[in-house]
C-alpha cells in the first residue's frame, strides 16, 4: 500500500530552511518554502547595487553584505562542504590578512558560495516549490492541517507539518498561539546586531596587498575587499568594500539614522587605511539579528519538534553559532521529521497487515 507522505511548510529560506526543504524533498515529502524576501539565502546575503561611474555610465556591482564565509568544525558539516565544493557550489577562500590584523579563528581558509552567497541555498532548493515575498504573519492549525497566512491571505493548501527556520525574534509571534513555552525562549534568545557598510570606491593602487582585515581596535570588526574573493568580479581601478562594525559599536548605535552611521563607518575605514577613500557609491545595512551571542545561554536542544502538533523550529540560535550551527540544527530537525514519517509508515503497514490477517481469520472478527 502506498503511504501518503506528510506535506511540510518551511518558513524561512536561509541555510536552515533550505537544508530542511532539501532533506524532506529528497525523501519524497511535498514541501513548500515561504520567505519574505525575493529569493533564498537569508543572512547568506549578496546585494546588487546600481550606481553611476565617473564617466556617467550606469554600473551594477554585487556585494556580499552578510556572512563572510564559513569553516567546518564537525565531520558531518565537513562532509557536506566537501560535496558542495565538488559540485562547484563553494570555493575555498584563503584571504591575505592585512598587516597587524587579528588572525582568523581556527582555519585560515573559509568556504565561500559562488558566484554569490545565496547560491548555496539556491542549489539546495533546486526543484523545491517556494513562495517569495511572502511574509508569514499567521499560522493556524485546523482540522485540515496548518494554514500559512500573509497579509490576511492564506496559502492555497494546508500542510501536515510546519517548520520555522527564522531568527528567534521573528519566530515569536508565530509560535505564541501554539507553543507559548518556545515563544518565551525565543523572545529572550540573545542575538547580536551588526551595522554593515558596503560600496564602491576608486582604487589608485593596483594591489592593496591584502583581502581581509580584523582590526584590533576601533569600531570596525571586519574589513574586506569583496572584489578579491573567489568568483567575484574585479574591475581595475575600483575597490569593492564591505565593512562590518563591532557588536558593541552596533549595539550602541543601533537606532541611529543610516546617514550618520554611514558617515562614522566611512571615517573609520579611512582612519584604518590611513588615507581618504573616494566613494563612488556607498550604503549601510542594519542587521538586527546577525549572530547568536556566543556568550549567551543557548537552549539545551539543537532543534525543537512537537510531534503531536507537527511543529518544528531550527536555526543558528538553536544549533550553535553561524552557518554550521544553522545547518546542524536543520539536519537534526529533518532527521526527527523523517523518523516520525517512518514510524507512521511502520504503524500504518502494521495496521494494514493486522487488517489483512483479521480478514483471513474469521475468529478475529
Ligand atoms: C553581517 C553578518 C556576518 C556573518 N558572518 C558569518 C560568518 O563569517 N560565518 C558564519 O558561519 N556565519 C556568519 N553569520 C551568521 C550566519 O549568516 C547565520 O548564522 C546563518 O546564515 C543563519 O541561517 P538561518 O537559516 O538560521 O537564518 P537566516 O539566514 O536569517 O534565514 C531566515 C530566513 O527567514 C526569512 N524570514 C524571516 N521572517 C519571515 C517571515 N515572517 N515570513 C517568511 N520569511 C521570513 C528571512 O527573510 C530569511 O531568509 C553572519 C551574519 C551576518 C548578518
Amino acid at each position: 500500500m502506498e503511504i501518503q507522505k506528510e506535506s511540510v511548510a518551511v518558513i524561512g529560506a536561509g541555510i536552515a530552511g533550505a537544508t530542511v526543504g532539501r532533506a524532506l524533498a529528497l525523501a519524497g515529502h511535498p514541501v513548500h518554502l515561504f520567505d519574505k524576501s525575493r529569493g533564498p539565502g537569508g543572512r547568506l546575503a549578496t546585494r546588487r547595487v546600481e550606481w553611476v561611474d565617473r564617466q556617467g555610465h550606469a554600473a551594477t556591482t554585487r556585494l556580499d553584505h552578510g556572512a563572510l564565509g564559513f569553516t567546518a568544525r564537525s565531520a558531518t558539516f565537513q562532509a557536506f562542504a566537501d560535496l558542495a565544493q565538488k559540485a562547484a557550489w563553494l570555493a575555498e577562500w584563503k584571504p591575505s590578512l592585512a598587516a597587524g590584523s587579528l588572525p582568523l579563528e581556527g582555519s585560515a581558509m573559509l568556504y565561500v558560495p559562488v558566484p554569490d552567497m545565496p547560491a548555496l541555498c539556491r542549489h539546495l532548493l533546486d526543484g523545491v516549490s517556494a513562495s517569495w515575498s511572502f511574509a508569514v504573519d499567521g499560522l493556524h492549525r485546523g482540522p485540515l492541517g496548518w494554514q500559512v497566512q500573509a497579509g490576511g491571505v492564506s496559502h492555497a493548501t494546508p500542510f501536515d507539518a510546519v517548520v520555522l527556520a527564522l531568527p528567534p525574534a521573528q519566530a515569536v509571534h508565530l509560535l505564541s498561539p501554539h507553543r507559548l513555552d518556545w515563544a518565551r525562549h525565543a523572545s529572550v534568545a540573545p542575538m547580536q546586531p551588526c551595522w554593515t557598510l558596503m560600496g564602491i570606491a576608486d582604487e589608485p593602487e593596483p594591489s592593496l596587498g591584502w583581502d581581509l582585515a580584523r582590526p584590533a581596535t576601533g569600531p570596525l570588526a571586519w574589513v574586506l575587499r569583496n572584489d578579491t574573493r573567489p568568483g567575484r568580479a574585479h574591475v581595475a581601478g575600483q575597490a569593492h568594500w564591505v565593512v562590518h562594525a563591532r557588536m558593541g559599536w552596533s549595539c550602541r548605535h543601533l537606532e541611529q539614522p543610516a546617514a550618520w552611521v554611514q558617515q562614522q563607518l566611512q571615517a573609520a575605514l579611512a582612519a584604518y587605511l590611513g588615507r581618504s577613500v573616494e566613494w563612488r557609491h556607498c550604503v549601510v545595512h542594519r542587521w538586527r539579528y546577525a549572530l547568536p551571542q556566543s556568550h549567551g545561554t543557548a537552549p539545551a536542544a539543537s532543534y525543537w519538534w512537537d510531534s503531536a502538533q507537527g511543529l518544528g523550529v531550527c536555526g543558528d540560535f538553536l544549533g550553535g553559532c553561524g552557518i554550521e550551527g544553522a545547518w546542524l540544527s536543520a539536519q537534526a530537525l529533518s532527521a526527527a521529521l523523517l523518523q516520525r514519517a517512518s514510524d507512521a509508515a511502520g504503524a500504518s503497514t502494521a495496521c494494514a497487515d493486522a487488517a489483512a490477517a483479521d480478514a483471513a481469520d474469521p475468529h478475529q472478527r
Side-chain angles (χ1 to χ4, degrees), residues 42-85:
R43 281 170 274 164
L44 279 169
T46 300
R47 184 180 293 186
R48 182 175 174 273
V49 294
E50 296 184 349
W51 56 287
V52 178
D53 70 12
R54 240 182 218 289
Q55 288 73 38
H57 299 134
T60 53
T61 301
R62 299 170 73 78
L63 300 165
D64 304 323
H65 65 300
L68 287 75
F70 57 88
T71 53
R73 290 177 295 270
S74 64
T76 47
F77 192 60
Q78 183 65 65
F80 165 73
D82 289 344
L83 283 177
Q85 195 183 354

Side-chain angles (χ1 to χ4, degrees), residues 155-166:
H155 179 71
T157 51
F159 296 89
D160 299 314
V162 177
V163 166
L164 299 187
L166 314 170

Side-chain angles (χ1 to χ4, degrees), residues 11-18 34-37 39-45 65-71 73 110 121 132 134-137 165-167 170-171 173-174 191-192 194-196 222 244 285 287 289-292 314-317 320-327:
I11 323 290
I15 186 67
F34 295 89
D35 202 291
K36 64 179 183 177
S37 301
R43 281 170 274 164
L44 279 169
H65 65 300
L68 287 75
F70 57 88
T71 53
R73 290 177 295 270
L110 292 168
C121 297
W132 307 117
F134 196 104
V136 177
D137 55 14
L166 314 170
Q170 294 174 329
H173 72 284
L174 297 174
M191 296 289 284
Q192 28 176 315
C194 180
W195 269 113
T196 298
W222 296 91
H244 299 293
H285 181 84
W287 294 100
Y289 315 111
L291 278 161
C314 62
D316 58 352
F317 79 105
C321 212
I323 292 157
E324 179 167 9
W327 184 88

Side-chain angles (χ1 to χ4, degrees), residues 59-325:
T60 53
T61 301
R62 299 170 73 78
L63 300 165
D64 304 323
H65 65 300
L68 287 75
F70 57 88
T71 53
R73 290 177 295 270
S74 64
T76 47
F77 192 60
Q78 183 65 65
F80 165 73
D82 289 344
L83 283 177
Q85 195 183 354
K86 216 175 254 177
W89 298 355
L90 297 178
E92 289 184 0
W93 184 40
K94 294 180 184 134
S96 304
L97 288 181
S101 168
L102 296 174
L104 291 177
E105 282 153 22
S107 159
M109 186 276 287
L110 292 168
Y111 291 106
V112 176
V114 282
D116 57 23
M117 298 306 281
L120 182 59
C121 297
R122 279 202 304 274
H123 285 301
L124 289 171
L125 290 176
D126 190 20
V128 180
S129 69
S131 298
W132 307 117
S133 305
F134 196 104
V136 177
D137 55 14
L139 286 176
H140 304 285
R141 192 159 160 262
L144 296 178
W146 288 97
Q147 286 285 354
V148 179
Q149 282 191 346
V153 178
S154 284
H155 179 71
T157 51
F159 296 89
D160 299 314
V162 177
V163 166
L164 299 187
L166 314 170
Q170 294 174 329
V172 171
H173 72 284
L174 297 174
L175 288 172
S176 299
H178 312 289
R179 285 294 303 243
L180 198 53
D181 53 340
W182 291 355
R184 285 202 181 113
H185 279 294
S187 69
V188 293
M191 296 289 284
Q192 28 176 315
C194 180
W195 269 113
T196 298
L197 173 85
M198 67 196 113
I200 300 100
D202 289 346
E203 183 51 63
E205 305 282 333
S207 167
L208 190 65
W210 55 269
D211 313 307
L212 182 66
R214 286 184 70 198
T217 56
L220 308 183
W222 296 91
V223 177
L224 68 115
R225 275 290 295 268
N226 208 64
D227 50 326
T228 64
R229 279 152 63 80
R232 275 56 181 175
H234 173 72
V235 182
Q238 288 178 14
H240 301 172
W241 293 109
V242 176
V243 173
H244 299 293
R246 272 183 218 293
M247 178 184 82
W249 192 94
S250 300
C251 280
R252 277 196 302 284
H253 303 299
L254 196 60
E255 304 305 335
Q256 291 286 351
W260 182 87
V261 171
Q262 181 170 324
Q263 208 177 34
Q264 298 294 315
L265 294 182
Q266 282 177 329
L269 178 62
Y272 180 72
L273 296 175
R275 59 170 165 86
S276 62
V277 179
E278 292 299 318
W279 291 101
R280 293 286 139 217
H281 182 84
C282 192
V283 64
V284 286
H285 181 84
R286 176 175 56 190
W287 294 100
R288 278 193 184 277
Y289 315 111
L291 278 161
Q293 266 178 34
S294 45
H295 59 272
T297 331
S302 69
Y303 65 92
W304 293 335
W305 174 236
D306 180 334
S307 186
Q309 295 199 67
L311 178 64
V313 181
C314 62
D316 58 352
F317 79 105
L318 288 169
C321 212
I323 292 157
E324 179 167 9

